[in-house]
Amino acid sequence: MKILSWILSLIIAVIYLQTLYFKFTSSAESMYIFEKTGLGDVGRIGSGIVELIAAITLLIPRTRVIGAILALGMISGALFFHFTSLGIEVMGDGGTLFYMAITVFVCSLGLVYLHRTEIPVVGKRFVK
């Protein structure tokens, strides 16, 4: 379980950290996405900060479940916009961003499940 937890955490963290470059440097793709969704620069920078926090907390075993919940929430929002306004393919990327979002969603969901007993306040209720 520890190895799987690390693998899932690293996958999410690498994807989130890699995409931060595009958010924080105002790349054309990032600007397009956040303008099309109506979130603008505040949404772009804000989501980048939250994703950075999620990536860091995922790499610390004690806070991993918090990072997984945060990542799951963020990527759920991204998938919502893919399904409603962006579509699968964004600016001719062949669906790369969408498939990365699906990967983060599945990995985050897996981590939340693996660490369900560590969720603050309600986690102990999952112990059999």
Side-chain angles (χ1 to χ4, degrees):
M1 183 170 108
K2 279 186 180 184
I3 293 172
L4 179 59
S5 179
W6 271 108
I7 290 170
L8 295 176
S9 297
L10 288 171
I11 290 170
I12 299 165
V14 165
I15 290 173
Y16 270 173
L17 293 172
Q18 181 263 331
T19 60
L20 288 181
Y21 171 80
F22 299 98
K23 285 187 175 88
F24 291 150
T25 60
S26 303
S27 75
E29 296 87 359
S30 189
M31 298 294 286
Y32 170 81
I33 289 167
F34 285 91
E35 288 306 317
K36 180 122 176 149
T37 59
L39 298 173
D41 289 337
V42 173
R44 180 175 51 81
I45 299 298
S47 68
I49 291 168
V50 175
E51 289 174 8
L52 177 60
I53 292 168
I56 291 168
T57 56
L58 282 165
L59 298 175
I60 303 168
R62 225 172 94 201
T63 60
R64 184 162 291 151
V65 72
I66 301 299
I69 292 168
L70 197 53
L72 186 60
M74 288 300 295
I75 213 62
S76 294
L79 287 171
F80 170 79
F81 285 116
H82 273 285
F83 291 130
T84 58
S85 59
L86 292 172
I88 303 290
E89 189 172 323
V90 178
M91 293 184 72
D93 74 343
T96 301
L97 288 175
F98 176 75
Y99 296 121
M100 285 174 34
I102 293 292
T103 300
V104 169
F105 182 84
V106 170
C107 291
S108 298
L109 199 58
L111 274 175
V112 170
Y113 178 77
L114 285 175
H115 296 278
R116 65 192 177 280
T117 61
E118 300 167 33
I119 298 172
V121 182
V122 298
K124 298 295 182 201
R125 294 183 181 153
F126 294 115
V127 178
K128 290 183 180 183

